[in-house]
Amino acid sequence: MEYVGLPHDPAPLLHDVAPAPDEAHDLFTRVMRNVELWLAYNVVHGDLSAFNILWWEGNVTIIDFPHAVDPHVNPNARDLLARDVDNVCRYFGRYGVRADPVRLAARLWRRFLHAEL
Ligand SMILES: Nc1ncnc2c1ncn2[C@@H]1O[C@H](COP(=O)(O)OP(=O)(O)OP(=O)(O)O)[C@@H](O)[C@H]1O
Ligand SMILES: [Mg+2]
């Protein structure tokens, strides 16, 4: 993974910036698309929140994967996924994004179980 930011000025955490409402929806979609992609490759981040997302030049980069788990073997994976999705929805909810984290996580998990991702 490459460094994100300027040489002496690393990209800020999403937690420390305030996206405009029209931008927030697009960023939310990108983060959730990442969650879906990881799951398709048997990864649940496990510590996803605005503290582990960098914001740079209008894009997001997710960091801090040491807590990641394999949903095929980790019995807590479904709960971790739900918490990740909830954290993301909670953050973006403050910037006008309306999403139902319980429904989103349940749908992702169902598609994972049925190998539909
Ligand atoms: N600007 C950046 N560009 C690229 N990677 C980064 C950047 N900032 C942090 N990272 C990567 O993300 C990892 C975790 O950084 P982070 O700041 O989230 O650590 P942390 O919060 O201390 O860890 P934890 O959340 O587990 O306590 C770093 O080890 C680094 O590899
Ligand atoms: Mg961190």
Side-chain angles (χ1 to χ4, degrees), residues 16-69:
D16 297 328
V17 298
D22 57 335
E23 188 184 18
H25 195 272
D26 179 49
L27 292 175
F28 171 73
T29 304
R30 290 187 204 196
V31 173
M32 289 307 298
R33 176 70 185 135
N34 273 270
V35 172
E36 182 182 326
L37 269 176
W38 301 328
L39 199 54
Y41 288 92
N42 306 317
V43 173
V44 172
H45 185 289
D47 191 24
L48 186 61
S49 77
F51 289 98
N52 283 328
I53 302 174
L54 303 175
W55 183 81
W56 190 247
E57 293 177 340
N59 210 345
V60 282
T61 302
I62 291 100
I63 58 170
D64 223 357
F65 280 77
H67 301 276
V69 300

